[in-house]
């Protein structure tokens, strides 16, 4: 039996859609799967550990950007114009990630991983956390 485990986030697509997570990339043996890209319906996988986030305003802003401004058609391999990239960067930096060493907790801003911006799409954005690189995930609109 494989030592890897696969977790598909919202496999039947009926969640209320109010969730926002980051999977921090790490060798955990747990692979999270996510449909992303709006109506492009791409499938992504990332191995690591899942961290639930709270950011209702930021989630609304992400949904506005990808579902309304980009019309939910996906942006993978997109050449981001400066104004849209600035907007995405601003939204990501407003999301708080609580890092903990087991004794203390401290909030940190996420950062957009601009070295992997061509992979950014609805419900799948590469970020940098205090614990390393990760993928910001939320409910895909399709």
């Amino acid at each position: 039996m494989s030592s890897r485990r696969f977790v598909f986030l919202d496999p039947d697509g009926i969640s209320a859609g109010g969730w926002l997570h980051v999977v921090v990339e790490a060798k955990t043996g747990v692979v999270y799967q996510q449909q992303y890209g709006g109506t492009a319906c791409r499938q992504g996988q990332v191995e690591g550990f899942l961290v639930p986030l709270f950011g209702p305003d930021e989630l609304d802003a992400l949904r506005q950007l990808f579902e309304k401004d980009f019309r939910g058609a996906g942006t993978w391999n997109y050449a981001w114009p400066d104004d849209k990239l600035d907007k995405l960067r601003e939204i990501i930096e407003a999301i708080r990630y609580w890092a903990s060493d087991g004794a203390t907790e401290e909030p940190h801003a996420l950062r957009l991983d601009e070295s992997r911006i061509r992979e950014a799409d609805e419900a799948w954005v590469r970020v940098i956390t205090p614990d390393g690189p990760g993928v910001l995930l939320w409910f895909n609109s399709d």
Side-chain angles (χ1 to χ4, degrees):
M1 183 156 112
S2 171
S3 61
R4 296 181 84 191
R5 296 292 182 254
F6 294 85
V7 177
F8 198 101
L9 300 174
D10 195 25
D12 56 9
I14 62 169
S15 79
W19 54 269
L20 184 65
H21 304 308
V22 66
V23 175
V24 178
E25 296 174 48
K27 297 287 183 193
T28 62
V30 179
V31 178
Y32 294 90
Q33 298 175 293
Q34 163 83 349
Q35 181 177 308
Y36 70 96
T39 57
C41 296
R42 294 185 173 85
Q43 302 295 318
Q45 294 185 354
V46 59
E47 181 178 3
F49 57 92
L50 185 130
V51 178
L53 303 172
F54 180 76
D57 294 338
E58 293 77 15
L59 178 57
D60 287 346
L62 287 166
R63 294 188 69 191
Q64 172 67 40
L65 179 65
F66 285 97
E67 294 175 36
K68 305 289 190 277
D69 297 355
F70 291 122
R71 290 178 244 182
T75 57
W76 185 82
N77 213 19
Y78 177 70
W80 286 76
D82 289 341
D83 64 327
K84 298 293 187 199
L85 183 58
D86 289 345
K87 183 63 177 171
L88 180 59
R89 190 182 298 119
E90 176 186 313
I91 296 166
I92 299 301
E93 290 174 359
I95 299 171
R96 294 294 168 251
Y97 177 100
W98 284 80
S100 176
D101 62 6
T104 60
E105 298 81 29
E106 186 175 345
H108 297 269
L110 292 178
R111 286 185 303 126
L112 180 63
D113 187 344
E114 295 188 38
S115 71
R116 301 190 289 179
I117 190 63
R118 308 256 327 158
E119 297 175 43
D121 212 334
E122 179 186 333
W124 185 274
V125 176
R126 299 287 184 162
V127 296
I128 304 295
T129 78
D131 293 319
V135 182
L136 181 66
L137 306 169
W138 65 94
F139 178 74
N140 187 49
S141 71
D142 83 316

